[in-house]
Amino acid sequence: MKKLLSFILIALAGTAFTACDSFLDTNVNPNAPTDVPVEQKLPTALVKTVNLETGTLNQLGAVWVGYWAKATDGPVNTSLFRLEETYGVEAMSFDRDGRPIWEDSYTTLVNYKDIENSAAATGDLAYVGIAKIMQGWHFMRLVDLYNNVPFSDALQGSKNVTPKYEDGQVVYDGAINLITAGIEDIKAAPALSKKPVTDDVIFKGNLTLWIKFANTIKLRALLRQSEAGRAGYINDELAKIKQEGSGFLGAGESALVNPGYQITAGLQNPFWDTYYRNQAGALTTGYNTLRPTAYLVQQYKERNDPRLPKLYRSVNGDYVGVPLGATSADFTMAKTSALLGPNENGNQPAGLLKSAQQPSVLLSSFESLFLQAEAAERGWLSGAEQLYEEAIKESFKYMNVPAGEFALYNLQPSVNFALAPNKIERIIGQKWLALNSISSIEVWNDFRRLGYLSRLPQSLQSPSADPDFRPRRLTYRQSEVYTNSDEVAKQGAIDPFRSRVFWNE
């Protein structure tokens, strides 16, 4: 690890970073091959993936599923997630002040394709497999946001600058096939071939965990299609997972990314660096502005949830959120609950804020267990109640809630699985409480899939009084409209508030 970290620091020497920049942010052009070994390319790509997930995508989901609001006198009140708060989907598509999710996703896909090609040429199948798994991850994420996207024709660089679009369902199927092939490559890796070790900033070379991670991504993709009338396809893919035999990520098996975060400008954990303290220990403008929504605080309170005091600071002995989009002077910084960090928690790790060197969460053990719980409740797996309870326990563990508090929490009718009138809704509700600000985009996907969006309070900055007026997808970026206009035009008129992705139609 020291050797890898030394390389990283040398590569970054003299480079200024901000909280929005990517740690190890170097792009790889497959049309201009270099002799950089794959063990130097892999951590770059993995960090780019997690930065997209915990940065832009987490912010998008956090606002749209009722996690994040703003103190009304915050220092960056007018700019922090302004587009998300006002449902400005069209504005997000513009290159200036927009959200470059499309470009960042395809750039990172190019990186993984380059790793795949380089590793295939040298017979290093473990790297080939990881690269395919991560390509599957990104292609499915693009479908989740945009529906039809380039797939088979993509990642060819100058050989094809106007790749054709394919149906979201076709891309999803292709992405799952990529992940399946990646698992096969990992299993077929010769004993003496090159395998990741410290360059694997997620599992440190544990290939069994990579396979479990891959199976978990596939399960998430199958659940995404649970309402899309694809029972036969889902059963076939579940059979493949069962036959493979490694199972899914379980308790204590989170996919956490840490490239060697340090208490140095630009090298801290990005979430900490943006929403808590800079390298000098000063509170950031993001910290002073970000607040939980009043609805979120209410839901924690109604369940006597012990995660609430691990997440937020109390104000005069109470926890106070902000209605999304509020402008009233009743919701200033001094009157509302900020995030809780170690400095406010007796120098002990808190729920979201633990240390400047904490790993970033790509896919948590508790998300995996909630996925398995839902699959079990649908009859795909077994043990729904046990999996549900394990998921909550893993969330408590991550949030530093004492394990002994689970039993009393679980006695409540609003929490207990056996007492739930709608068990899938109970699973998704607890998943919403657990993934708060960790993997918020996944909750937005769940709420769209199951029709739960209208249960959340609408932003007071919404341009429509219609209570069902919520973003359902994103529109294509202007950079894509300019460079691939014919293919974009073939997708027809898109209304981000009525058009749906294939699994939500």
Side-chain angles (χ1 to χ4, degrees):
M1 182 65 191
K2 288 183 178 179
K3 182 178 180 181
L4 176 64
L5 188 56
S6 296
F7 169 79
I8 291 169
L9 293 177
I10 291 171
L12 295 176
T15 303
F17 285 76
T18 70
C20 294
D21 292 330
S22 296
F23 195 107
L24 300 176
D25 190 5
T26 57
N27 296 333
V28 178
N29 181 358
N31 302 304
T34 68
D35 58 359
V36 176
V38 289
E39 61 265 31
Q40 293 178 8
K41 298 175 182 177
L42 180 62
T44 298
L46 294 175
V47 169
K48 287 170 74 69
T49 294
V50 81
N51 282 354
L52 178 59
E53 289 287 323
T54 62
T56 305
L57 292 177
N58 188 42
Q59 175 174 292
L60 182 75
V63 178
W64 286 352
V65 299
Y67 291 149
W68 289 6
K70 295 185 290 193
T72 52
D73 63 339
V76 291
N77 182 266
T78 58
S79 60
L80 185 67
F81 53 80
R82 175 181 56 83
L83 296 181
E84 290 84 351
E85 182 182 49
T86 58
Y87 302 155
V89 181
E90 293 290 354
M92 290 181 195
S93 72
F94 284 87
D95 297 341
R96 180 177 178 179
D97 299 327
R99 302 290 182 265
I101 297 167
W102 180 278
E103 296 91 332
D104 290 350
S105 296
Y106 275 107
T107 297
T108 307
L109 276 164
V110 166
N111 294 166
Y112 285 120
K113 188 65 177 178
D114 179 67
I115 293 170
E116 178 194 340
N117 292 340
S118 298
T122 55
D124 297 319
L125 292 183
Y127 284 93
V128 173
I130 290 171
K132 287 180 179 177
I133 290 166
M134 296 311 300
Q135 286 174 67
W137 172 291
H138 280 281
F139 276 120
M140 285 192 289
R141 183 63 82 220
L142 284 163
V143 173
D144 293 340
L145 298 168
Y146 300 99
N147 198 32
N148 302 342
V149 299
F151 178 64
S152 300
D153 280 359
L155 315 185
Q156 297 181 25
S158 58
K159 294 180 181 178
N160 188 353
V161 296
T162 57
K164 69 177 182 181
Y165 281 52
E166 295 177 66
D167 290 345
Q169 181 176 310
V170 172
V171 178
Y172 242 61
D173 291 354
I176 288 177
N177 290 340
L178 267 173
I179 294 170
T180 300
I183 293 172
E184 293 170 354
D185 286 325
I186 289 174
K187 286 191 159 186
L192 298 180
S193 68
K194 185 186 296 182
K195 295 181 178 65
V197 188
T198 54
D199 53 316
D200 172 8
V201 292
I202 300 181
F203 295 122
K204 305 300 184 287
N206 187 326
L207 297 180
T208 299
L209 287 179
W210 268 106
I211 295 172
K212 288 185 174 186
F213 173 70
N215 283 332
T216 305
I217 302 169
K218 289 171 69 175
L219 181 63
R220 186 164 74 181
L222 297 177
L223 284 167
R224 196 87 86 232
Q225 301 173 79
S226 62
E227 312 300 307
R230 304 199 73 199
Y233 173 79
I234 290 169
N235 287 334
D236 289 345
E237 290 300 322
L238 287 170
K240 292 178 186 177
I241 294 172
K242 183 177 180 180
Q243 183 178 22
E244 189 282 317
S246 298
F248 311 101
L249 292 176
E253 294 179 334
S254 294
L256 306 176
V257 179
N258 196 334
Y261 295 126
Q262 298 185 23
I263 307 175
T264 304
L267 301 184
Q268 298 192 129
N269 172 284
F271 190 90
W272 175 286
D273 199 55
T274 303
Y275 299 111
Y276 191 40
R277 294 179 184 271
N278 64 20
Q279 75 281 358
L283 291 172
T284 65
T285 54
Y287 175 85
N288 288 326
T289 297
L290 183 65
R291 295 293 185 270
T293 67
Y295 178 77
L296 176 65
V297 171
Q298 175 192 0
Q299 296 305 307
Y300 281 122
K301 284 182 175 180
E302 286 181 0
R303 294 165 177 81
N304 301 299
D305 200 306
R307 287 170 289 198
L308 179 61
K310 298 293 185 181
L311 286 163
Y312 305 109
R313 299 180 67 178
S314 63
V315 179
N316 298 322
D318 194 11
Y319 296 93
V320 183
V322 179
L324 177 60
T327 58
S328 165
D330 292 335
F331 303 105
T332 62
M333 290 187 288
K335 295 178 180 179
T336 53
S337 294
L339 286 171
L340 184 73
N343 285 40
E344 300 79 33
N345 193 41
N347 294 320
Q348 296 300 309
L352 290 174
L353 298 167
K354 304 176 189 301
S355 81
Q357 297 166 286
Q358 69 187 63
S360 298
V361 180
L362 184 59
L363 199 161
S364 64
S365 60
F366 39 97
E367 182 188 346
S368 176
L369 288 162
F370 279 122
L371 291 170
Q372 294 170 63
E374 182 183 348
E377 181 57 28
R378 291 182 181 277
W380 302 359
L381 304 174
S382 60
E385 183 171 9
Q386 180 181 352
L387 290 162
Y388 168 84
E389 292 179 359
E390 262 194 281
I392 298 174
K393 290 176 183 177
E394 283 290 287
S395 172
F396 277 20
K397 183 177 180 180
Y398 183 80
M399 293 288 173
N400 293 308
V401 173
E405 297 201 29
F406 171 77
L408 186 60
Y409 181 71
N410 194 46
L411 286 175
Q412 300 177 101
S414 60
V415 175
N416 188 274
F417 188 78
L419 298 176
N422 182 326
K423 290 180 169 49
I424 288 179
E425 185 174 352
R426 179 61 51 89
I427 292 166
I428 298 302
Q430 275 294 326
K431 187 178 178 184
W432 176 71
L433 294 170
L435 295 188
N436 174 8
S437 305
I438 296 171
S439 187
S440 308
I441 195 68
E442 275 306 301
V443 181
W444 185 55
N445 291 333
D446 283 339
F447 278 35
R448 286 187 292 159
R449 168 173 64 101
L450 297 170
Y452 295 165
L453 282 178
S454 60
R455 302 182 189 185
L456 300 169
Q458 191 178 46
S459 173
L460 298 175
Q461 298 297 319
S462 171
S464 172
D466 179 356
D468 196 41
F469 186 81
R470 308 298 174 93
R472 304 285 178 170
R473 57 160 292 169
L474 301 186
T475 54
Y476 298 110
R477 288 276 291 170
Q478 289 301 305
S479 59
E480 181 69 3
V481 174
Y482 297 146
T483 60
N484 200 7
S485 57
D486 289 345
E487 285 296 317
V488 173
K490 291 177 184 177
Q491 310 315 307
I494 294 170
D495 181 341
F497 301 96
R498 292 180 177 84
S499 303
R500 310 286 184 99
V501 300
F502 85 94
W503 46 255
N504 186 218
E505 292 177 346

